[in-house]
Amino acid sequence: MCGIFGMIGDSNTTKLLMQGLKRMEYRGYDSSGICIVDNNEFIRRRAVGELSNLEPLVVNLPNAECGIAHTRWATHGPPTEDNAHPHMSPKLDVAVVHNGIIENEVELRKELSSIDKNIIFKSDTDSEIIAHLLSNEIKNSGLDLKKSKDEEFISCWKKVIDKLEGSFALAVILKGRNDFILFARKFAPLVISHDGNKGILASDVSCIVGITDKVHYLEEGDWGLINKNGLKIFNIDGDLVEKEPKKLEWTLGDAELGGYPTFMLKEIYEQPRVVRDCLRGRLSREKIKGVSIPFNPRLLRIVGCGTAYNAGLLARYYIEQLSKIPVILDHAHEFRYGAPSGPKSLVIGISQSGETADTLAAIQAAHERGYPTLGIVNVESSTIARNVDTMIGIRAGPEIGVASTKAFTGQVLGGLLVAMKLGQDSKNFHREDLSYFDRHARMLPTSIERMLNDQNIKTKLWEAQQYFVDKNHAFFLGRNTSYPIALEGALKLKEISYIHAEGYAGGELKHGPLALVEEGTPIVVIASEGSSHKKLLGNAREVAARGAKVILITHQEDELADSHADLVIKVPRTHDLLQPLLYNIICQLLSLNIAEERGCNVDRPRNLAKSVTVE
Ligand code: F6R
């Protein structure tokens, strides 16, 4: 998604803005731009495509003290230079960068055109309108760009914000005014920071790491002004608010590769640490600690998107199995526009970023319907984390690779903690069950480490990837708790290698998908537990009989496996509830290897963004 970065008060502003844009590359973008205030003028540079296209355009820019920058992920109009931010007013006196969507853009354009028939919009974007509106407001209020005071611009800015419907994080600068930046946020993330000399605002904390370690997280509807000396933050009602800065969750190491060739590989290898951190202080032989469930629910609703949805599906199996409480799982975007009925239920929102627009809206819809909410979130300072009634932080650390890897592991563990807690509360999951689980969970990080470094597995993965490299379609099959892994495996493969991949429950094969299997179709079968495993092996036979190349991912004690696949990858045996996590890591590695062999950039897959902050 788009990224915003603004700085004031540092003589190295241009350089730091470019560094910030580089750090935000992982979010996904298709054009970029920067605008600085130099003496009495704006200097703006914009470029389509990679940041390397913008870099040569900024090398000779002066070292301004105030500027804004943006990476754009096209929504309104194609990725062209004209559509790239910053956008300017016709008089070239206002420059704006925007994340989000202005939903009443058409009405606002009409309103402006009725005032000035000759008005020309230079872009297809909804964002440009904001620069026009502020420029008009400044003119109508009779302000002088050079002489008027901050307060006067603040009240113009408020009038503009009040006209905007939709979602936005905004940073605005004025021609010749290198002494302040105006900002606002509504349903789109924005953080600000001030160290007494310089101010920073950004949609993504990755830009800020290394410059400062304290930030203010803005609330919905906050807006204001940042200048060289400090900040003025107003809430939605226009009241000045005092906020304590919070310690940044990121470190410089998080924003860097640390010797790994890609962030995706780095994050896959971080999973032993994620398991340790996520369970630390929460799991013991006797009870689940630090997980509070708002009330005694008779029904649970889980919402999430993409990988978070897949983690939610696994959580559903766990909760129903351990607590016997029924669960309904929805894509967050379906839940928010649905009309749920039935008993009052606990709504669980799962999100790595905590900023996914649909998941946030689903949580808000739950509140409006009077349902208590629980978040399973990675970024603990995020909007979702701050909006839910109770929160379980998965402690995965910043995830930079666009394809979610370590967060899935944390999300599943978060769901498992909820399931065990509900199981204990409802007396369906006993102390001895927990003690047995605890023993395996303690060994899991070491099992993952062993698996990641296992030469035999590496060789098998290499052999498996040969089945895929020149193929356009692939399937992943699972049953029961391995079905979510099949969905997640297919999602990972399609998003980074561009091979069309689908995940199915094995039982569904004969109801349609079998028609797609032909000679050489690669099919990954992910072992399940109990009686469904034999059924799944039967599915493996069915597809093999139709010419498919079967790769079976299972555990070391599975004796049936070898006779049921072209290639078997065996991982360490662990507790049934944890076993899917090991299978999933194999799927992550397989997708990464295939994507790299096909020459794809695994950290920045085409058309995708790290955090989907618009609908
Ligand atoms: C896939 C992926 C996405 C996200 C989805 C939700 O690898 O990363 O499917 O899982 O956009 O994002 P969060 O978890 O941030 O709400």
Side-chain angles (χ1 to χ4, degrees):
M1 288 285 104
C2 304
I4 287 182
F5 190 31
M7 281 209 74
I8 185 153
D10 192 297
S11 57
N12 258 331
T13 288
T14 311
K15 197 174 137 223
L16 290 169
L17 286 177
M18 289 305 290
Q19 173 189 297
L21 292 188
K22 188 111 204 99
R23 294 254 186 88
M24 284 194 292
E25 277 193 300
Y26 78 98
R27 295 170 62 94
Y29 69 105
D30 38 41
S31 61
S32 58
I34 177 170
C35 183
I36 55 171
V37 188
D38 180 49
N39 293 321
N40 215 9
E41 292 301 326
F42 279 146
I43 305 180
R44 174 174 66 170
R45 299 287 183 267
R46 296 180 292 173
V48 174
E50 298 278 304
L51 216 48
S52 53
N53 298 334
L54 181 67
E55 275 157 358
L57 309 181
V58 302
V59 277
N60 292 324
L61 292 193
N63 258 332
E65 282 197 0
C66 174
I68 52 178
H70 192 264
T71 46
R72 174 173 187 255
W73 191 77
T75 54
H76 290 55
T80 59
E81 191 179 326
D82 278 343
N83 286 335
H85 299 220
H87 290 289
M88 287 198 190
S89 56
K91 287 203 299 182
L92 307 182
D93 56 348
V94 176
V96 61
V97 286
H98 168 222
N99 285 2
I101 293 181
I102 304 301
E103 285 170 0
N104 58 338
E105 172 226 352
V106 176
E107 292 89 318
L108 291 171
R109 277 194 186 220
K110 267 196 204 141
E111 190 185 311
L112 283 181
S113 306
S114 70
I115 300 167
D116 175 1
K117 287 199 175 43
N118 299 321
I119 194 163
I120 293 173
F121 292 95
K122 293 249 171 81
S123 75
D124 309 315
T125 69
D126 51 337
S127 313
E128 186 187 343
I129 193 90
I130 300 159
H132 289 245
L133 288 170
L134 183 59
S135 174
N136 260 12
E137 210 55 65
I138 291 172
K139 185 175 130 217
N140 295 343
S141 308
L143 300 193
D144 183 322
L145 273 185
K146 282 198 189 129
K147 297 191 194 132
S148 295
K149 298 203 176 76
D150 290 8
E151 289 71 33
E152 297 173 275
F153 292 107
I154 285 178
S155 63
C156 283
W157 181 224
K158 171 71 172 140
K159 286 185 197 155
V160 172
I161 299 164
D162 286 344
K163 289 188 177 165
L164 304 178
E165 289 170 16
S167 60
F168 47 81
L170 294 165
V172 171
I173 49 176
L174 305 182
K175 183 176 143 184
R177 296 302 296 249
N178 68 354
D179 53 343
F180 64 82
I181 302 177
L182 300 164
F183 63 84
R185 78 152 284 190
K186 189 176 155 200
F187 303 131
L190 191 65
V191 294
I192 55 181
S193 161
H194 209 291
D195 68 0
N197 298 308
K198 63 176 178 295
I200 307 166
L201 54 89
S203 54
D204 191 302
V205 290
S206 61
C207 309
I208 292 180
V209 224
I211 308 177
T212 176
D213 61 356
K214 292 231 167 67
V215 290
H216 299 270
Y217 294 99
L218 298 181
E219 301 298 333
E220 257 7 301
D222 280 356
W223 60 281
L225 173 144
I226 184 164
N227 61 26
K228 293 178 191 175
N229 307 319
L231 305 160
K232 277 192 181 134
I233 305 174
F234 300 90
N235 64 18
I236 199 159
D237 302 321
D239 303 322
L240 193 62
V241 288
E242 289 292 327
K243 275 186 199 295
E244 275 303 305
K246 299 247 163 61
K247 183 120 177 62
L248 208 59
E249 290 165 25
W250 285 52
T251 64
L252 208 49
D254 293 322
E256 288 168 355
L257 284 164
Y260 285 91
T262 60
F263 280 108
M264 184 171 174
L265 187 67
K266 179 183 177 207
E267 287 158 7
I268 289 174
Y269 272 74
E270 279 178 53
Q271 288 175 103
R273 200 249 328 126
V274 173
V275 174
R276 280 189 197 104
D277 285 356
C278 185
L279 298 181
R280 190 176 5 94
R282 291 170 169 163
L283 183 66
S284 77
R285 273 181 219 158
E286 278 97 41
K287 62 176 189 195
I288 301 297
K289 294 179 282 185
V291 175
S292 76
I293 311 281
F295 74 120
N296 213 349
R298 284 168 49 213
L299 174 71
L300 273 90
R301 308 218 34 157
I302 302 182
V303 294
C305 301
T307 289
Y309 173 90
N310 296 338
L313 180 56
L314 195 43
R316 190 188 104 189
Y317 282 107
Y318 290 153
I319 293 169
E320 292 189 334
Q321 181 184 332
L322 303 188
S323 73
K324 316 284 182 239
I325 300 172
V327 179
I328 300 175
L329 171 75
D330 282 295
H331 286 112
H333 33 95
E334 291 300 308
F335 177 88
R336 71 184 283 195
Y337 296 115
S341 53
K344 184 168 160 185
S345 40
L346 172 67
V347 177
I348 302 182
I350 305 183
S351 176
Q352 185 284 128
S353 60
E355 301 293 350
T356 297
D358 284 314
T359 312
L360 176 59
I363 293 291
Q364 281 160 344
H367 284 154
E368 280 156 23
R369 293 166 196 169
Y371 294 175
T373 56
L374 183 150
I376 298 178
V377 182
N378 190 29
V379 182
E380 296 192 23
S381 54
S382 64
T383 315
I384 293 179
R386 285 180 287 135
N387 268 255
V388 286
D389 296 318
T390 67
M391 204 262 305
I392 300 176
I394 62 170
R395 304 173 182 159
E399 191 176 66
I400 293 188
V402 166
S404 197
T405 53
K406 61 177 181 172
F408 178 83
T409 294
Q411 289 164 345
V412 169
L413 291 174
L416 199 41
L417 287 167
V418 171
M420 291 189 290
K421 171 83 175 121
L422 288 169
Q424 286 211 309
D425 292 352
S426 62
K427 314 245 179 308
N428 287 299
F429 190 64
H430 307 288
R431 199 193 255 201
E432 52 283 12
D433 299 328
L434 185 60
S435 162
Y436 181 65
F437 176 85
D438 179 67
R439 260 206 324 277
H440 283 90
R442 280 178 200 285
M443 291 186 303
L444 185 64
T446 317
S447 299
I448 300 176
E449 270 152 17
R450 238 178 46 227
M451 189 177 83
L452 288 171
N453 296 314
D454 186 318
Q455 208 42 55
N456 182 41
I457 291 183
K458 284 187 184 165
T459 310
K460 294 267 180 179
L461 278 168
W462 186 85
E463 286 170 25
Q465 91 199 42
Q466 307 315 312
Y467 294 163
F468 292 81
V469 277
D470 58 349
K471 294 289 186 304
N472 293 319
H473 304 279
F475 298 97
F476 288 69
L477 299 181
R479 273 178 186 254
N480 209 267
T481 53
S482 76
Y483 170 45
I485 306 302
L487 293 183
E488 177 58 11
L491 175 62
K492 222 73 327 171
L493 184 65
K494 74 180 100 168
E495 72 179 319
I496 59 170
S497 75
Y498 317 138
I499 294 174
H500 169 235
E502 295 300 335
Y504 288 106
E508 199 58 19
L509 255 193
K510 292 196 201 66
H511 301 283
L514 200 54
L516 293 168
V517 177
E518 54 189 17
E519 200 59 39
T521 306
I523 299 194
V524 181
V525 177
I526 299 147
S528 58
E529 304 300 331
S531 55
S532 71
H533 184 46
K534 280 201 181 135
K535 300 276 174 207
L536 194 57
L537 293 180
N539 295 136
R541 281 256 160 84
E542 279 161 12
V543 292
R546 284 151 183 91
K549 283 282 178 201
V550 177
I551 298 117
L552 175 63
I553 304 176
T554 188
H555 59 74
Q556 280 155 352
E557 291 169 16
D558 181 358
E559 285 162 8
L560 281 177
D562 298 311
S563 54
H564 282 82
D566 294 281
L567 196 117
V568 181
I569 303 178
K570 288 193 177 173
V571 305
R573 182 65 170 134
T574 177
H575 193 289
D576 286 1
L577 295 170
L578 296 168
Q579 199 69 55
L581 288 176
L582 296 183
Y583 298 153
N584 187 56
I585 293 173
I586 295 295
C587 291
Q588 293 170 349
L589 289 166
L590 182 63
S591 295
L592 183 141
N593 293 355
I594 294 166
E596 289 195 326
E597 188 158 343
R598 286 164 64 97
C600 305
N601 181 337
V602 298
D603 282 343
R604 280 193 283 128
R606 70 181 178 209
N607 304 338
L608 296 181
K610 180 66 190 157
S611 158
V612 185
T613 51
V614 291
E615 251 189 269

